[in-house]
Amino acid sequence: MNKNVFRMGVLAAALAAAMASSTGFAAAVSPTGNPARMNLTALQAQPSFDRFIVTYRQGSIERANHAAAVQAATAALGRAGLVRATRTAGAPASVSMRYQRKLAVGADLLRTSRPLDRTEAAALIRQLSIDPAVAYVVPDVLRHRVRDLSAAKLLQPQTVTPNDTYYAKYQWNLKAPDGTVTTGGNANLGGTSVNHAWDLSDGTGVVIAVLDTGITTHVDVDTSLGDAGYDFIVDSFVSGRATDGRVPGGWDTGDWTTEEPWLSECTDADHPPEDSSWHGTHVASTAGAEITNNALGMAGIAHGAKILPVRVLGHCGGYDSDINDAIVWAAGGHVDGVPDNTHPAKVINLSLGGPGNCPASDPAAQAVAAANALGAVVVVSAGNENIDASQASPASCPGVITVASTGITSRRAFYSNYGSAVEIAAPGGGVYPNDGSSGTPINDGFIWQALNSGTTTPVPNDSDYGGYAGTSQASPHVAGTVALMQSARLAAGLPLMTPAEVLTTLQQTAHAPSVAPPANRGIGAGIVDANAAVRAAIGEDDGGGEAIVLGNGVTLAGQSGSAGGSTVYTLQVPAGAMALSLRTYGGSGNVSVYAKVGAAASASDYDYKSARPGNSESVVVARPAAGTWYLTVVGETAYAGVSVLGSFRAPR
């Protein structure tokens, strides 16, 4: 053996032992570590790790001194059995530690001299966690865009009015869920009523930060803040640049993968080589970057807002350490080494994620908390793994609005994550007929927006459009709606809503899906209703002009009204349905109900009525006509706490 190599190994081992005492404690090897100070759930995300985010306690030497942090971490390497004086044939190489940088949330990024497999990484994390100076430690995970389930290219256009060329034909997701049959032959029950919200707001005065792959120039996309954005990817391997380091501009230079050696770590049987996704352009366009009312292409939700592109995803994905810094920066917080953001965002969209849960002590959660404190609402996609979103990050971080995906029928998309971590749902695409999980993809199964035709690098000022489906497409619907809400507040001279107020308003105004999810596959409060949310944000009642959509078999509780007032509800009934029942029950006061198919009912114009004393009213139709059924509830006296239920037996 080379004597110098031997001496270096001995010195490293001796140094590790010395450091254990120099940090003020003599730690025994702990096989379990300190569970309260570590998170191992994300280790399933990838086969190896060489980057670790360590949060040292306030007042500790390690938090203020980089050398002390490396010293303490090297001691942990020794306790984990990763520092070896000699190396036997076939044994893994000894590991050393080096300092990378301080993160915006105050944590430190440390890097090992070689990648550690999951077992080694877990051992190191456990040993780091028993250091009294350590508050929390997690692996720095390489996150991915929430991979779109499928993609489709746009067909040749048909000139339609009003405004944008493809709006009428393709963008069911922005329209009211009124059962209108689309050009694809499907009844729209899953839309978001953005078209009605535009009567009040277009997003002017609000900045939406889209943390994604960046943005590309496009003839129909507003990229005016492209240069004001930032590329937060440090590693040249991920960014595709020649050297490490962050650079100005939120431009997407491509995220393609190949089987070439420099990108071979990204490809395997489950992840074959891919062309560049241009994912950030598609997401940003849905939220609002798409230029609207220009008789060209598509429409964007908050098209009067400004989109700040922030590149955090490149080849193979993007590291938590970069994403977390970008969250803080996008909201207007300071990040060392990066000029402060001159266009702080009040809405941040993250259509990205991966395995692992995210407690409040996680650096990702701390970054979200910092953004919330600066007034930014952070919207996150739930993920496309068809699992409980509590096991996905950042979907499970406290402080975010986590969005599940639904299709045109309002059914939960079969791929969408679900559960208590989900706050609300939005259109993400159902892909297959009736929002099923198989068959031939249909146009109405996708969310259509601007893309780029380049296979690796972008085509400048392109005119490409395409359809994606996934929770990546659902979250910008909510982000755009939040921008509409805040813009309406500004126009009315009202202060901006806090992130907590925004969430409450979104949930209170969401409409129930017509196809209710199973009890163990919840998608939050319902599907986002942009029109109702904007009106509620400025305290404006819609005057009864907008009906409340009922889901088949889904009880809408807590309804109230004044004497003489009326509220209209709708239920879409398909052909062949049987035993339609429209009911009210419970609560206090006295109501009467009037029902009609095809148009709103009233006390003077109805097909059916029920006007018994109290609130227990019922209309039953054995063989109902197909179409939109309207139920009008009239307060004979003031009433409160009443439940409304519409149900039918679906055709076989």
Side-chain angles (χ1 to χ4, degrees):
M1 174 181 287
N2 183 296
K3 291 182 179 179
N4 288 331
V5 172
F6 177 77
R7 287 195 190 100
M8 289 175 65
V10 171
L11 286 172
L15 183 61
M19 289 177 213
S21 59
S22 70
T23 55
F25 77 108
V29 174
S30 169
T32 58
N34 187 331
R37 299 180 188 167
M38 65 181 182
N39 190 343
L40 301 178
T41 62
L43 289 178
Q44 59 185 305
Q46 57 203 58
S48 63
F49 301 82
D50 64 352
R51 302 155 59 106
F52 300 86
I53 302 174
V54 185
T55 303
Y56 289 102
R57 296 188 182 280
Q58 291 283 1
S60 66
I61 296 174
E62 290 82 357
R63 189 176 180 96
N65 188 295
H66 300 170
V70 171
Q71 188 180 51
T74 304
L77 283 172
R79 295 193 300 275
L82 297 172
V83 177
R84 302 179 179 91
T86 59
R87 180 182 179 186
T88 58
S94 183
V95 182
S96 60
M97 188 73 74
R98 65 181 185 273
Y99 187 85
Q100 292 295 105
R101 64 182 180 275
K102 178 77 72 175
L103 306 188
V105 294
D108 292 286
L109 180 62
L110 304 177
R111 192 166 188 174
T112 54
S113 56
R114 67 167 174 81
L116 309 183
D117 63 31
R118 289 173 180 153
T119 300
E120 292 174 321
L124 173 58
I125 290 171
R126 290 188 178 103
Q127 294 312 308
L128 284 165
S129 75
I130 65 172
D131 184 342
V134 170
Y136 204 70
V137 56
V138 292
D140 189 11
V141 177
L142 192 63
R143 301 290 177 189
H144 302 278
R145 57 184 168 88
V146 177
R147 292 184 180 274
D148 311 293
L149 187 73
S150 185
K153 285 293 184 181
L154 192 64
L155 304 178
Q156 288 299 310
Q158 295 180 357
T159 301
V160 296
T161 53
N163 302 318
D164 304 276
T165 313
Y166 302 133
Y167 169 73
K169 184 175 182 180
Y170 290 98
Q171 293 191 283
W172 60 268
N173 47 302
L174 304 187
K175 299 163 189 171
D178 56 9
T180 300
V181 177
T182 67
T183 55
N186 297 289
N188 180 7
L189 301 176
T192 56
S193 296
V194 169
N195 55 339
H196 295 312
W198 285 333
D199 291 340
L200 295 171
S201 177
D202 65 3
T204 297
V206 178
V207 173
I208 306 171
V210 175
L211 276 56
D212 212 289
T213 63
I215 201 167
T216 60
T217 56
H218 190 283
V219 295
D220 196 25
V221 175
D222 178 5
T223 58
S224 57
L225 292 188
D227 287 335
Y230 221 84
D231 187 333
F232 267 78
I233 302 173
V234 171
D235 283 43
S236 58
F237 169 79
V238 178
S239 72
R241 293 187 291 274
T243 58
D244 289 349
R246 294 167 172 166
V247 298
W251 302 107
D252 188 346
T253 57
D255 63 348
W256 78 94
T257 56
T258 73
E259 292 179 340
E260 297 175 18
W262 76 284
L263 285 179
S264 61
E265 293 181 25
C266 306
T267 58
D268 54 34
D270 295 326
H271 301 95
E274 293 181 302
D275 291 340
S276 290
S277 65
W278 316 119
H279 190 263
T281 298
H282 197 279
V283 169
S285 296
T286 296
E290 186 76 40
I291 300 171
T292 303
N293 295 326
N294 64 342
L296 177 67
M298 304 283 180
I301 294 173
H303 51 264
K306 290 297 183 181
I307 302 296
L308 181 72
V310 184
R311 188 177 185 231
V312 296
L313 302 176
H315 305 284
C316 304
Y319 282 106
D320 277 344
S321 53
D322 291 337
I323 296 167
N324 297 345
D325 274 359
I327 291 171
V328 175
W329 180 85
H334 178 72
V335 177
D336 287 348
V338 178
D340 288 346
N341 178 13
T342 56
H343 297 84
K346 292 305 177 186
V347 191
I348 299 173
N349 186 86
L350 296 164
S351 291
L352 52 83
N357 56 45
C358 178
S361 49
D362 193 279
Q366 293 175 353
V368 170
N372 288 165
L374 290 166
V377 177
V378 182
V379 183
V380 177
S381 55
N384 293 352
E385 295 77 31
N386 189 29
I387 61 171
D388 195 299
S390 64
Q391 300 306 309
S393 182
S396 60
C397 290
V400 304
I401 297 177
T402 300
V403 186
S405 177
T406 51
I408 193 169
T409 72
S410 80
R411 185 192 303 270
R412 179 185 73 92
F414 69 91
Y415 54 80
S416 176
N417 291 351
Y418 51 80
S420 60
V422 174
E423 277 79 27
I424 199 166
V431 184
Y432 303 112
N434 297 317
D435 294 341
S437 58
S438 63
T440 302
I442 58 173
N443 284 344
D444 291 342
F446 295 95
I447 304 300
W448 297 88
Q449 270 301 348
L451 274 175
N452 195 281
S453 59
T455 55
T456 55
T457 56
V459 173
N461 297 314
D462 204 15
S463 58
D464 197 39
Y465 299 87
Y468 275 157
T471 55
S472 280
Q473 282 60 58
S475 62
H477 283 79
V478 175
T481 297
V482 174
L484 294 178
M485 294 164 64
Q486 299 288 43
S487 175
R489 299 272 299 182
L490 291 174
L494 299 170
L496 294 178
M497 304 174 80
T498 67
E501 290 171 337
V502 166
L503 174 58
T504 297
T505 302
L506 287 171
Q507 292 186 314
Q508 289 178 341
T509 57
H511 67 81
S514 296
V515 184
N520 62 347
R521 297 290 189 274
I523 54 173
I527 300 173
V528 66
D529 186 322
N531 182 50
V534 170
R535 292 181 183 277
I538 58 175
E540 178 178 317
D541 188 273
D542 64 12
E546 294 296 324
I548 299 173
V549 179
L550 296 174
N552 182 29
V554 180
T555 299
L556 193 59
Q559 302 300 289
S560 61
S562 59
S566 64
T567 304
V568 180
Y569 303 83
T570 64
L571 178 66
Q572 188 69 25
V573 178
M578 305 285 284
L580 170 64
S581 174
L582 301 169
R583 298 177 53 206
T584 61
Y585 59 92
S588 60
N590 181 20
V591 303
S592 297
V593 301
Y594 302 87
K596 186 178 177 69
V597 63
S602 68
S604 59
D605 183 13
Y606 58 87
D607 294 336
Y608 303 87
K609 79 170 184 177
S610 177
R612 294 188 292 267
N615 292 330
S616 294
E617 308 292 351
S618 177
V619 168
V620 177
V621 184
R623 296 178 180 275
T628 303
W629 279 76
Y630 290 80
L631 178 69
T632 301
V633 178
V634 176
E636 302 298 340
T637 67
Y639 64 95
V642 174
S643 293
V644 179
L645 173 63
S647 64
F648 54 81
R649 192 165 66 245
R652 294 180 179 178

